[in-house]
Amino acid sequence: MSRLWSRKAAALVPYVPGEQPQDRRYIKLNTNENPYPPSPAVAAALQAFDPAALRLYPDPQSRGLRAALGKEHGVPAENVFVGNGSDEILAFAFQAFFEPSPAGGAVPPEAHVLFPDVTYSFYPVYAALYGIPYRTPPLADDFSVAVEDYLGPCAGVVLPNPNAPTGRALPLAGLARIAAGQPDRVLVVDEAYVDFGAETALPLAASRDNVLVVRTMSKARSLAGLRLGYAIGPRQLIEALERVRDSFNSYTVDRIAQTLAIAALSDPAWFERTRTEVMETRERTARRLRKLGFEVVPSDANFLFAKPPGMGGEALYEALKERGILVRYFRKPRIDGHVRITVGTPEEMDALCVEAARLLGAGG
Ligand SMILES: *Cc1c(COP(=O)(O)O)cnc(C)c1O
């Protein structure tokens, strides 16, 4: 801490992303990146990109990209918002839809935003950054979301579907009940992993005025390094996001990102093939881990949340790291016995299962 810091900067507890180590080559199964490269159409668009165009600012409205996303999802471009990764859009959503705590005074229960106790750990960080009060209803013992906990008075709801880091998905009917339970509050559905098997809430975003769906190209589109997220929802919610963005940075999505994201959308066959491959590898790996005695949460995402037998999550994480395999471990109540394993290529998952079997003294 420095005497030059604001009280706010000093009080922050920032989000800590998964390691991106540079010290050696790892089999990297810790940040839910896609093991396959983006579509060859992305490589071609990058080759064809004219660096001279970088002299000019990008289109602040990202019209071409929003039109392409609208076409992809069957909605008008004006119902699409794009951002520098979906993390940025989530941060904008906290500011656009939720109120900070009043200075002094106690905060009544209905003034809290709700998200689960075990979920994406960026949500409490945004809430703290913007001074927004929140409550965290506990997931059920099987890590499913208890819909009833989200039906009472509150200031809004944020739910990832599938949830992270558990991989469990909530059926659309549950989200529909939550959205209808609080018609004057916004439900933000974070669909970072939806392409790996869950039901999308896009029909709710199209039919209700209080549902925003947030997506990313980081996971199923293999573009984590590009930083491209988007949101789909009713025009009034999109407009609020635009107001927040335009009070912060007019150019959140650069020219290269707009161009390459459009290229990625132009190749549905690549998208289908790679996401299907990831889902098949996930199911094979889950079966193998269960045979080794792991408790594996059913996953609709590109990762597995698994509890090793007779060994702590942290011990497994450390032992795998020594052997060149990186997974994610969370030192948090309820989940500190688990590790989160990103689904890699079949060869990478094979290496993981072989090492795990050795460590647990079981047959592979
Ligand atoms: C990966 C992830 C994001 C962030 O995606 P970016 O678009 O890369 O910022 C958002 N929400 C959840 C639940 C994620 O796992």
Side-chain angles (χ1 to χ4, degrees):
M1 198 193 297
S2 156
R3 69 186 167 78
L4 301 177
W5 288 11
S6 69
R7 270 197 294 276
K8 180 162 182 159
L12 293 175
V13 183
Y15 174 77
V16 183
E19 303 158 82
Q20 299 287 354
Q22 313 287 334
D23 59 323
R24 60 180 274 195
R25 277 181 73 90
Y26 286 96
I27 294 181
K28 218 175 149 296
L29 308 175
N30 70 327
T31 47
N32 297 345
E33 288 140 329
N34 199 304
Y36 303 108
S39 156
V42 171
L46 190 55
Q47 283 273 314
F49 189 87
D50 177 10
L54 293 177
R55 186 175 65 79
L56 302 171
Y57 283 107
D59 173 8
Q61 264 89 51
S62 300
R63 277 165 293 200
L65 174 54
R66 286 166 63 215
L69 285 164
K71 195 164 149 245
E72 170 78 13
H73 295 295
V75 300
E78 65 165 23
N79 295 97
V80 182
F81 180 87
V82 294
N84 190 262
S86 58
D87 285 338
E88 181 185 72
I89 300 178
L90 292 163
F92 289 167
F94 271 79
Q95 296 175 85
F97 309 128
F98 309 142
E99 300 292 346
S101 322
V107 184
E110 64 272 17
H112 290 74
V113 172
L114 306 181
F115 42 82
D117 63 336
V118 175
T119 195
Y120 188 37
S121 36
F122 232 135
Y123 305 148
V125 173
Y126 294 135
L129 176 62
Y130 302 122
I132 294 160
Y134 63 93
R135 279 188 288 124
T136 56
L139 295 179
D141 287 339
D142 66 356
F143 293 128
S144 59
V145 170
V147 170
E148 299 69 38
D149 291 345
Y150 298 85
L151 302 179
C154 68
V157 175
V158 183
L159 280 176
N161 200 43
N163 195 9
T166 66
R168 258 200 192 273
L170 190 61
L172 182 58
L175 291 169
R177 279 179 70 203
I178 293 170
Q182 292 291 315
D184 296 328
R185 304 286 177 242
V186 175
L187 165 62
V188 176
V189 187
D190 179 354
E191 295 193 345
Y193 302 104
V194 76
D195 295 315
F196 300 105
E199 265 183 292
T200 179
L202 284 175
L204 291 178
S207 63
R208 300 198 53 97
D209 65 5
N210 67 330
V211 177
L212 185 82
V213 168
V214 179
R215 294 271 186 113
T216 178
M217 291 206 166
S218 297
K219 313 281 167 50
R221 301 274 179 179
S222 307
L223 288 170
L226 193 67
R227 311 307 304 129
L228 203 291
Y230 59 99
I232 293 180
R235 182 61 209 152
Q236 284 198 353
L237 299 189
I238 299 298
E239 193 182 338
L241 294 174
E242 290 168 350
R243 291 169 66 87
V244 171
R245 179 202 53 210
D246 294 338
S247 306
F248 167 75
N249 176 0
S250 309
Y251 305 108
T252 54
V253 182
D254 66 61
R255 275 181 178 269
I256 296 175
Q258 292 185 31
T259 305
L260 302 197
I262 292 172
L265 292 166
S266 76
D267 190 354
W270 183 270
F271 171 66
E272 281 307 318
R273 207 169 81 215
T274 49
R275 77 186 182 104
T276 304
E277 187 74 28
V278 167
M279 288 188 281
E280 287 172 2
T281 307
R282 175 188 70 209
E283 294 311 305
R284 277 197 306 274
T285 307
R287 282 196 293 274
R288 242 174 119 176
L289 292 175
R290 286 191 185 110
K291 266 196 201 142
L292 292 173
F294 280 77
E295 279 173 40
V296 184
V297 179
S299 172
D300 281 313
N302 68 340
F303 56 83
L304 291 164
F305 200 51
K307 187 172 189 284
M311 188 178 206
E314 186 162 25
L316 179 64
Y317 157 79
E318 293 288 357
L320 286 173
K321 188 172 178 184
E322 257 167 47
R323 287 161 176 76
I325 301 177
L326 217 48
V327 299
R328 189 92 192 253
Y329 166 72
F330 301 90
R331 192 176 289 111
K332 278 188 191 164
R334 291 192 78 188
I335 57 170
D336 54 5
H338 286 69
V339 292
R340 191 194 68 189
I341 305 165
T342 303
V343 176
T345 61
E347 297 72 33
E348 289 173 326
M349 301 323 273
D350 202 44
L352 169 88
C353 291
V354 167
E355 288 303 337
R358 266 189 212 143
L359 288 167
L360 298 169

